[in-house]
Amino acid sequence: MKAINIPLLVEQYPLLEPLIALKPVCWFNPDVTSLKTGLPYVGLTAEDIRDASERLKRFAPYLMKAFPDTAAAGGMIESDVVDIPDMQQQLAQLHGMPLTGRLMLKKDSHLPVSGSIKARGGIYEVLTHAEKLAIDAGLLKTTDDYSKLLNEDFKAFFSRFSIAVGSTGNLGMSIGIMSARLGFSVSVHMSADARTWKKNRLREHGVQVIEYEKDYGMAVAQGREAAEADPDCFFIDDENSRTLFLGYAVAGERLKQQFDAKGIVVDAQNPLFVYLPCGVGGGPGGVAFGLKMAFGDHVHCLFAEPTHSPCMLLGVHTGLHDQISVQDIGIDNLTAADGLAVGRPSGFVGRAMERLIDGYFTLSDPQMYQYLRLLNQTEQIQLEPSALAGMPGPSLVCADTAYQQRMQLSASAMQHGVHLVWATGGGMVPEAEMQSYLNDDLCS
Ligand SMILES: *Cc1c(COP(=O)(O)O)cnc(C)c1O
């Protein structure tokens, strides 16, 4: 990697000054473009999402039985979307400005199996790998009832293979639980910021947890290295995986169905703004891709990051993508938002999606805790800190008339739009841990 001249970079990109000073910033990308223009750069198509969606349908009979909490939804791993009107009032008061439109929350925090957005991508990639192994071995056909995968002979078959992943916590939870259930031998390489309860939970499921004292980048590198030494080990590459990305992307058509059922229309007069917490980028990138394919140019996606880990904003804003890390500009990548504690963005997501993401903003850890408590008070919904990252977004969009004008968002459209904050985790946080989030006066 080339050495980066930081003073020169800051001169070229003045936004880096407040970013380095750890101040909350917001940047609307002036180069954002239409889906038609931006799509070729993604390198994936509607057909790829359809294929992912079909695969998940094939696995539904299996998932229903393997994870009974998915049975009510017919083996579909999906979350509710709900109105949060009391939170909307409190946000308007807190930010001292009206928050027009309708504020909603997408509760991926409460997805079955692992209680975070990683139950989309992580589980999908494990299923894809398992299906391929079983089909190649002549044990499975796509027309079969996949609940046969619960049989002991399949478990014995999968136990000959292993799966490895590097994670800040939630990806490890999804991949660990899913892989172990199928019968794989699975190891999760956990970064220093991963919560103890997540490691313990995984060990209870028979997952091998390897702990590191360094951050996510190191955990991934070590996992990759360990996997390369073993031909029967499959490494799930959170930084580059198209498969993970497509697992997330299925969320787009699912949300469209949920909106249809609620009679919510998305068009020029009724725009949709979606606020997605961003770590390495696969989750928000994949979801944003799915949303664009489902709603077209009338959905506007923004990524949210901690002030201490603004890797995607840094990578896209400077055009350096994975060639620069937050540590390169003196930012420490230390945040209570463990799901977002990533110093270097995905090498593929920023380049693939930058033309389709309207903007990026950062918020401080104390802000996340403040929103966490406010959401609990107003709506009785409990989330982990990462999952609150999107909360300042609606006010930032409502306040920026230059952005609205550039995107041809009329005053009437701003009145009728929907602001959807994507809540990405927290459903499985142990009670005592949640109480410490809710009570921690140090963080207010
Ligand atoms: C992983 C994660 C994200 C972000 O997903 P990336 O793919 O890392 O960008 C957001 N919130 C939570 C709770 C997560 O675990």
Side-chain angles (χ1 to χ4, degrees), residues 327-340:
Q327 289 94 341
D328 289 339
I329 58 169
I331 298 179
D332 60 13
N333 190 31
L334 294 177
T335 168
D338 51 306
L340 313 180

Side-chain angles (χ1 to χ4, degrees), residues 273-277 300 302 304 361 390-391 393-395 397 419-422:
F273 301 93
V274 183
Y275 307 93
L276 295 150
H300 302 270
L302 287 91
F361 58 89
M391 272 310 165
S395 301
V397 163
H419 298 276
L420 180 62
V421 173
W422 211 279

Side-chain angles (χ1 to χ4, degrees), residues 81-140:
V81 55
V82 298
D83 287 293
I84 45 170
D86 294 345
M87 184 68 179
Q88 181 164 2
Q89 268 187 6
Q90 288 300 313
L91 283 177
Q93 211 165 64
L94 183 69
H95 298 148
M97 55 170 291
L99 209 171
T100 59
R102 177 175 178 179
L103 183 65
M104 302 185 84
L105 190 75
K106 180 64 174 160
K107 291 174 72 181
D108 272 11
S109 46
H110 292 74
L111 280 173
V113 185
S114 68
S116 83
I117 189 171
K118 303 298 192 310
R120 297 186 185 277
I123 288 174
Y124 175 69
E125 179 143 14
V126 173
L127 297 178
T128 304
H129 181 59
E131 184 185 53
K132 182 173 188 316
L133 288 174
I135 289 176
D136 287 353
L139 300 172
L140 183 72

